[in-house]
Amino acid sequence: MLVVGSGMAGLIAAITAASRGKSVRLAARGAGHLAVGNGCVDVLGYVDGEIVRGNPVDSISRLSGDHPYRRIGAETVAESLAFFARLCAENGFDLAGGNGENQWIPTALGSFKPTWFYTPAMNRETLSMADRIVITHMPWLKDCHADMVKACLARQRRLMSKDMYIEETAPFRAHRNLTPLAAARFVDTEAGERWLLSQLLQCLQRSSSGRRTAVLLPPILGVTRSAEIRARLSEALDADLIEMASPPPGVGGLRIRRTLLRAAAGVGVTVMENAHVVEARVQGQRCVSLVCDATGGEREVKADSFIIATGGFLNGGLVAAPGGKVCEAIFGHALPAPERTEDWTMPDMLDSQPYAKLGVQTNTRLNPITPEGDALPDNVYFAGRTLAGYDFVNEKSGMGVAIATGYHAGMNC
Amino acid sequence: MNMNVRIPQPDRCIACATCVAVCPVAQNCPDFPGPRMMGPARQRFRLMGMGEDEASHYCANCKNCDIACPGDVPVSAFIMRAKAEICKKNFPKLRDWILAHGEVLAHCLRFIPAVFKNFGMTFAPARLLLDAIGIARKASLPNFAPQAFRARLARLAQPNLSRAVVFFPGCFVDTYEPESGLDIVAVLNRAGYKVIVPGTTDDSGAFVCCGLPMVANGFWQDARDNARRNLKTLAAWAAKGMPILTACPSCALMIGKDYAEYFPALIAPGQSSSLVDVCDFLIGCVERGELALPAAPQKVETVFYHAPCHSRALGIGLPGLDLLREIPGIQAEYADSGCCGISGSYGFKKDKYPIAMRVGAPLFEAMRQSGATLCASECGTCRVQMRHGGGKQTVHPVSVLRRYLG
Ligand SMILES: Cc1cc2nc3c(=O)[nH]c(=O)nc-3n(C[C@H](O)[C@H](O)[C@H](O)COP(=O)(O)OP(=O)(O)OC[C@H]3O[C@@H](n4cnc5c(N)ncnc54)[C@H](O)[C@@H]3O)c2cc1C
């Protein structure tokens, strides 16, 4: 079988299908959003603007009937999340969360967002348990503003009574374009780890006291050795280190992607990179092959079944054309969209946006269907952001839908 | 204005930074601002005539940025064009000229016996001299072959076969590793194809260097001249309906993809300038029943396979690995350890050698961990780097097949 797309949905679909003994090829042009994501897996944070309490899977019944979670069913969603957690554990990736209720993790803005799985370094409880919070100020790093973080933290009821300090750190090198990713890479080296330790030691000395300390950092604790680095530094400093989720490149997603690629290779998935799928050959109700635009011309790839996980407008799975037309990029199906483009957006940016819900409509097996409900090729399955019916920004469900639908497609194909 | 000229559009880049996340040089060299900054972001300034960032010399042209980009932004092409502009303004280094023009150099030195040339590569004072012009003393430079591939092929009596293919040897096989070229000829003969190398097995116009090392070192015009000559030869053979094969993924990428990107005006409307990967072609031969594979031997041998970045960039999957997996008795182990670091001539440069070795470190480690004694990869300089860093025998996948065919 053939999977298109190497974001979260495509990788999970490929791994699921290959674990069932299928021979799987994965074709992708581009690495997918996971490579620059922050590593948080949101499952469901809000329904109709209301905060989800308890296990988010239990709130699926409150979503509208055309939401992908409703299509595949809450049980499948729970199963897929367990599968993902197992996959990470088996491949040595330490994942936190995934039980009780959503965790509110700190972001580089100083705000908190609800998520289901996260890296252990993002655990907010550590902040609540600390007596004092040291916010590292790295003015030389992009998108990190300690003053704003402090102001936001001080507004939190559970945190406002804590001692909070801002401590400035010296850059590890002079450059106008340092991102948390560049810093994380440096910290991965021995010299980098030493540099961070000495910086943090100075931070803690300046505001020293014998109480329990939490140190808030941008995501710079390494890419490949993050767990051991964090453990060593926490011990040496006698403090808990907490990373904030940052905008792209967010480091945490790259850590997960490395894990999933290793897992995929382990179950025999073969990857065809830089292969841009441009066309589908369909005979009656079946798709026989997909055509890639590769060096040396078109290349036809045949398979018994196909999973399309090509993402949304950003990564090319959905295409919008002037005149309010939207279509799926490979099969070219026209997708239902509000006639007037003015109706694609809502005046309040923070509202759920109609354009965010545009996408491919499917049946419960994730085969595409026409707006009238008729089945299109029944050996084709859609997964991830290509699907219609959910606004991942507004409900905080992006990676969750990608995992759940990728898993479901991989189980059904 | 020539309507064929496509103007690169930096604004297709949305600054998602995926290229920065995957760039092997950015991962291992903090002085390199990364492909996004050096490519599309800087391009906006270039279009406004606002100067250049010298750091573009750090780019190894491995194409991992292009592979990872979700938006079809020609990231590496922006950087290569910038290098060319810098090279036009500043007098290029002698070292870079030498590394870019290996074919010309080999031609000039053709009457000097290989033993003397190779002596120069290992002889300490000679290495000091090379070091002085910027070629890393620790690098293992490939040895000149006593006789070039084309000279040996010209004297080889191929069997009389009804079908034929054209073969683009590439400089590496021609100058340094004729054996792998001859292995390929033997296997193709076995599949029923006579191998034509223009200008060698006949007296038509010969292929020249694809030009990739010239582009990577900033010699744009020289690359363009070579592209023009190759395109003419390719068109003549394509008109005869002849498949044109190569064993070098970098030549395949340069000719099949980059010519159109770099020199669109040279491509005639409707002309396709593609080369077929020899492993891909041989898989077809096996499927069509033209090439019979031997029965599995008693003992299974593990071969460790590394995919060159330029193979991955071709968008055709990994035919080298697929071919190895077709061979009965071979257990192919896929390295999956990223770039080897060499990037053609990059890792031979004194200032780049340490970066290249850091980039290749995970691959070298995987080679050492592997139980395999034999390794395979399609790219000639990847093989040099694998022997150098991983310390194991490394050959082209087709050479593995030839050994099995006997
Ligand atoms: C800025 C930002 C922040 C986010 N933060 C979070 C967060 O904190 N938590 C969370 O859970 N979610 C978050 N999300 C949402 C989440 O990233 C996405 O919902 C999710 O990544 C979608 O995964 P996907 O696999 O469906 O698509 P993608 O990751 O978009 O992958 C699509 C893949 O298909 C490939 N492709 C597309 N077209 C073709 C073609 N024709 N041929 C071959 N390949 C093709 C692409 O190159 C890519 O590899 C965020 C999204 C954004 C944009």
Side-chain angles (χ1 to χ4, degrees):
Chain A
M1 60 152 314
L2 179 64
V3 178
V4 186
S6 84
M8 181 66 103
L11 287 169
I12 293 294
I15 295 169
T16 308
S19 312
R20 288 174 55 221
K22 301 262 174 190
S23 145
V24 183
R25 212 166 244 270
L26 185 145
R29 173 229 51 182
H33 192 262
L34 187 56
V36 286
N38 56 32
C40 308
V41 173
D42 304 348
V43 171
L44 191 60
Y46 299 86
V47 175
D48 292 332
E50 257 180 62
I51 293 174
V52 164
R53 311 268 171 206
N55 190 319
V57 174
D58 297 335
S59 289
I60 288 177
S61 55
R62 288 163 51 213
L63 295 165
S64 86
D66 56 358
H67 193 288
Y69 282 155
R70 287 290 302 276
R71 290 252 197 258
I72 65 174
E75 236 170 79
T76 308
V77 176
E79 221 176 277
S80 72
L81 296 172
F83 177 79
F84 176 74
R86 228 173 23 244
L87 207 58
C88 288
E90 282 166 11
N91 288 279
F93 187 82
D94 203 4
L95 201 66
N99 50 44
E101 55 182 345
N102 278 332
Q103 175 75 245
W104 291 72
I105 53 135
T107 75
L109 294 176
S111 61
F112 290 82
K113 60 160 269 182
T115 196
W116 186 238
F117 292 121
Y118 47 95
T119 55
M122 288 177 178
N123 194 343
R124 178 223 177 109
E125 292 305 316
T126 331
L127 284 182
S128 314
M129 278 162 5
D131 302 309
R132 61 169 184 156
I133 298 171
V134 174
I135 303 161
T136 54
H137 183 32
M138 303 189 171
W140 38 274
L141 213 55
K142 270 193 167 173
D143 303 324
C144 299
H145 307 283
D147 291 342
M148 185 160 72
V149 172
K150 186 176 175 198
C152 286
L153 293 190
R155 288 212 305 250
Q156 294 277 323
R157 225 179 328 117
R158 287 164 73 193
L159 301 179
M160 50 183 38
S161 64
K162 318 250 174 208
D163 288 338
M164 281 189 221
Y165 305 89
I166 292 181
E167 287 296 346
E168 187 156 342
T169 54
F172 60 97
R173 59 191 303 272
H175 199 281
R176 63 185 186 287
N177 185 42
L178 290 177
T179 62
L181 178 61
R185 282 180 170 153
F186 179 57
V187 173
D188 254 340
T189 65
E190 270 171 42
E193 191 180 331
R194 270 199 309 277
W195 162 80
L196 185 58
L197 178 62
S198 76
Q199 288 298 317
L200 295 181
L201 274 172
Q202 285 172 37
C203 286
L204 293 188
Q205 263 161 19
R206 280 196 293 265
S207 54
S208 97
S209 76
R211 291 168 302 151
R212 186 154 189 174
T213 306
V215 181
L216 204 54
L217 296 154
I220 62 168
L221 294 170
V223 182
T224 54
R225 302 191 299 134
S226 35
E228 44 168 305
I229 290 173
R230 177 160 165 267
R232 260 197 307 272
L233 291 184
S234 301
E235 192 179 327
L237 296 162
D238 189 23
D240 292 313
L241 302 187
I242 307 170
E243 284 184 325
M244 298 174 275
S246 95
V251 188
L254 193 58
R255 295 175 189 148
I256 295 182
R257 181 172 160 80
R258 291 166 52 92
T259 308
L260 294 184
L261 284 174
R262 206 177 313 133
V267 288
V269 174
T270 57
V271 182
M272 220 170 132
E273 290 176 285
N274 220 15
H276 191 178
V277 177
V278 289
E279 194 194 321
R281 304 237 158 109
V282 179
Q283 278 169 8
Q285 284 293 80
R286 290 189 77 72
C287 176
V288 282
S289 65
L290 295 180
V291 181
C292 303
D293 178 18
T295 308
E298 291 194 338
R299 206 177 168 82
E300 191 177 355
V301 186
K302 294 197 173 101
D304 294 331
S305 54
F306 302 85
I307 296 177
I308 312 297
T310 46
F313 295 105
L314 215 55
N315 276 334
L318 304 176
V319 185
K325 301 216 176 346
V326 185
C327 66
E328 190 282 323
I330 296 175
F331 290 79
H333 304 146
L335 304 173
E339 229 159 80
R340 296 170 353 122
T341 40
E342 290 85 342
D343 298 333
W344 285 28
T345 50
M346 298 302 275
D348 186 345
M349 197 184 81
L350 297 178
D351 271 346
S352 179
Q353 300 293 334
Y355 74 83
K357 292 186 173 176
L358 300 180
V360 177
Q361 290 175 316
T362 68
N363 60 20
T364 57
R365 292 170 55 82
L366 296 176
N367 304 127
I369 52 172
T370 64
E372 292 72 42
D374 301 326
L376 290 159
D378 57 13
N379 60 339
V380 175
Y381 304 81
F382 279 85
R385 172 53 197 106
T386 44
L387 294 170
Y390 73 113
D391 175 348
F392 75 78
V393 179
N394 191 261
E395 41 180 65
K396 298 273 173 277
S397 62
M399 290 298 177
V401 170
I403 291 172
T405 55
Y407 173 81
H408 192 58
M411 290 302 279
N412 275 328
C413 63
Chain B
M1 198 181 126
N2 187 336
M3 295 307 287
N4 255 338
V5 179
R6 250 199 314 153
I7 297 165
Q9 290 301 325
D11 290 349
R12 260 188 280 164
C13 170
I14 58 159
C16 71
T18 310
C19 56
V20 189
V22 300
C23 171
V25 177
Q27 274 163 38
N28 289 283
C29 168
D31 292 327
F32 183 49
R36 171 184 62 172
M37 284 303 285
M38 296 313 303
R42 193 81 218 171
Q43 193 69 10
R44 301 196 176 104
F45 295 97
R46 291 181 193 118
L47 289 174
M48 294 166 73
M50 286 171 69
E52 195 41 76
D53 186 327
E54 295 291 331
S56 63
H57 67 89
Y58 280 114
C59 169
N61 197 27
C62 68
K63 313 270 190 194
N64 278 289
C65 48
D66 299 340
I67 297 172
C69 178
D72 280 337
V73 180
V75 186
S76 68
F78 284 134
I79 307 178
M80 290 303 113
R81 281 174 190 276
K83 263 194 192 181
E85 287 304 313
I86 293 173
C87 188
K88 243 196 253 168
K89 282 196 204 92
N90 310 340
F91 196 70
K93 287 186 182 139
L94 170 67
R95 188 248 349 241
D96 292 354
W97 188 91
I98 292 176
L99 292 175
H101 297 80
E103 187 186 38
V104 179
L105 201 69
H107 187 75
C108 297
L109 301 177
R110 69 191 179 284
F111 296 119
I112 303 177
V115 266
F116 292 126
K117 287 187 280 199
N118 293 334
F119 185 60
M121 298 296 184
T122 46
F123 183 52
R127 285 311 293 261
L128 275 177
L129 203 72
L130 286 177
D131 186 81
I133 65 162
I135 291 179
R137 212 179 330 162
K138 282 199 210 137
S140 315
L141 298 175
N143 277 336
F144 284 95
Q147 274 182 334
F149 165 72
R150 286 192 263 202
R152 288 180 67 179
L153 184 67
R155 292 204 318 275
L156 185 79
Q158 292 186 58
N160 240 339
L161 299 161
S162 55
R163 290 178 299 225
V165 289
V166 177
F167 184 61
F168 185 99
C171 301
F172 190 85
V173 161
D174 200 33
T175 313
Y176 306 109
E177 239 184 60
E179 300 76 20
S180 44
L182 293 168
D183 286 343
I184 287 160
V185 173
V187 174
L188 285 166
N189 286 169
R190 188 75 171 255
Y193 292 88
K194 187 173 167 49
V195 177
I196 298 170
V197 175
T200 304
T201 51
D202 61 21
D203 48 18
S204 62
F207 288 125
V208 290
C209 167
C210 70
L212 188 132
M214 297 163 179
V215 164
N217 285 291
F219 299 89
W220 196 262
Q221 191 54 44
D222 296 352
R224 195 172 191 278
D225 292 344
N226 280 21
R228 183 188 292 117
R229 288 177 63 180
N230 283 332
L231 283 166
K232 209 173 130 210
T233 313
L234 286 165
W237 288 102
K240 294 184 194 170
M242 200 78 95
I244 309 166
L245 313 186
T246 186
C248 173
S250 300
C251 298
L253 192 65
M254 177 71 179
I255 294 175
K257 199 166 209 161
D258 292 346
Y259 277 6
E261 186 75 55
Y262 300 155
F263 318 117
L266 293 184
I267 313 263
Q271 183 184 354
S272 139
S273 62
S274 59
L275 302 180
V276 179
D277 179 274
V278 70
C279 297
D280 203 18
F281 185 80
L282 287 170
I283 290 172
C285 292
V286 173
E287 279 168 4
R288 289 190 297 271
E290 294 164 359
L291 182 64
L293 296 175
Q298 297 269 294
K299 199 170 137 268
V300 172
E301 187 182 7
T302 305
V303 175
F304 178 94
Y305 171 81
H306 160 70
C309 299
H310 287 179
S311 286
R312 293 169 38 225
L314 286 171
I316 61 171
L318 300 176
L321 180 60
D322 293 342
L323 182 67
L324 289 173
R325 290 190 168 149
E326 291 274 338
I327 307 175
I330 292 269
Q331 166 95 42
E333 185 187 333
Y334 179 34
D336 205 10
S337 311
C339 179
C340 76
I342 195 82
S343 284
S345 55
Y346 188 83
F348 296 138
K349 298 175 181 178
K350 192 174 170 181
D351 49 332
K352 306 298 187 310
Y353 176 83
I355 303 173
M357 292 305 281
R358 281 201 297 277
V359 170
L363 174 64
F364 307 150
E365 182 56 27
M367 282 175 80
R368 282 191 288 268
Q369 294 289 323
S370 164
T373 48
L374 182 64
C375 305
S377 187
E378 289 98 317
C379 165
T381 51
C382 287
R383 294 197 286 274
V384 171
Q385 177 82 340
M386 286 168 77
R387 292 177 201 127
H388 178 63
K392 285 187 179 176
Q393 190 195 357
T394 310
V395 299
H396 192 280
V398 177
S399 297
V400 179
L401 176 57
R402 188 190 181 182
R403 288 185 9 179
Y404 272 74
L405 290 174

